[in-house]
Amino acid sequence: MPRTRYIRPGFFENEELAEQSHQTRLFFIGLWTLADREGYVEYRPKRLKRNIFPYENCDIDGMVVELVAIDKLEVVEIEGTKLLKVSKWHEHQN
């Protein structure tokens, strides 16, 4: 279930994110609305596309790779389930 999350003004000034496409930045924000209280989201590309970009063509896996490369996401596996972990979750969300 989507949740209300905060976007701090510094998000728009982040130089690493500024180098990513608009779609990747919006995807990153969209992940926050789907993440649990610890910053985890199931890594299910089709479901993520449906929830964040239902009307657009996009490459979810490609955006994940971009965000992992700049340390904004981690891909982890817990008990056989592949998850995305938003880095520094508790510094930005409460």
Side-chain angles (χ1 to χ4, degrees), residues 6-74:
Y6 299 102
I7 301 173
R8 294 183 179 184
F11 174 86
F12 301 99
E13 297 172 352
N14 184 296
E15 292 178 2
E16 292 172 322
L17 283 170
E19 294 178 5
Q20 309 309 309
S21 70
H22 289 95
Q23 195 171 52
T24 298
R25 286 182 271 166
L26 186 57
F27 173 68
F28 188 45
I29 294 169
L31 287 175
W32 303 347
T33 68
L34 301 173
D36 67 13
R37 291 181 178 177
E38 299 301 316
Y40 289 96
V41 181
E42 270 193 82
Y43 190 4
R44 297 178 62 178
K46 289 180 182 178
R47 181 177 288 181
L48 292 171
K49 184 198 176 306
R50 183 191 75 214
N51 287 323
I52 301 172
F53 293 116
Y55 305 110
E56 298 180 45
N57 290 324
C58 61
D59 177 12
I60 297 295
D61 292 320
M63 289 186 281
V64 167
V65 168
E66 289 179 43
L67 292 168
V68 167
I70 61 169
D71 296 321
K72 299 300 179 190
L73 285 180
E74 299 171 48

Side-chain angles (χ1 to χ4, degrees), residues 71-85:
D71 296 321
K72 299 300 179 190
L73 285 180
E74 299 171 48
V75 179
V76 298
E77 191 168 321
I78 299 175
E79 297 180 5
T81 302
K82 204 169 187 180
L83 302 167
L84 299 175
K85 167 87 170 98

Side-chain angles (χ1 to χ4, degrees), residues 8 85-94:
R8 294 183 179 184
K85 167 87 170 98
V86 179
S87 301
K88 300 180 184 178
W89 177 256
H90 291 291
E91 290 180 29
H92 302 289
Q93 301 295 322
N94 53 18

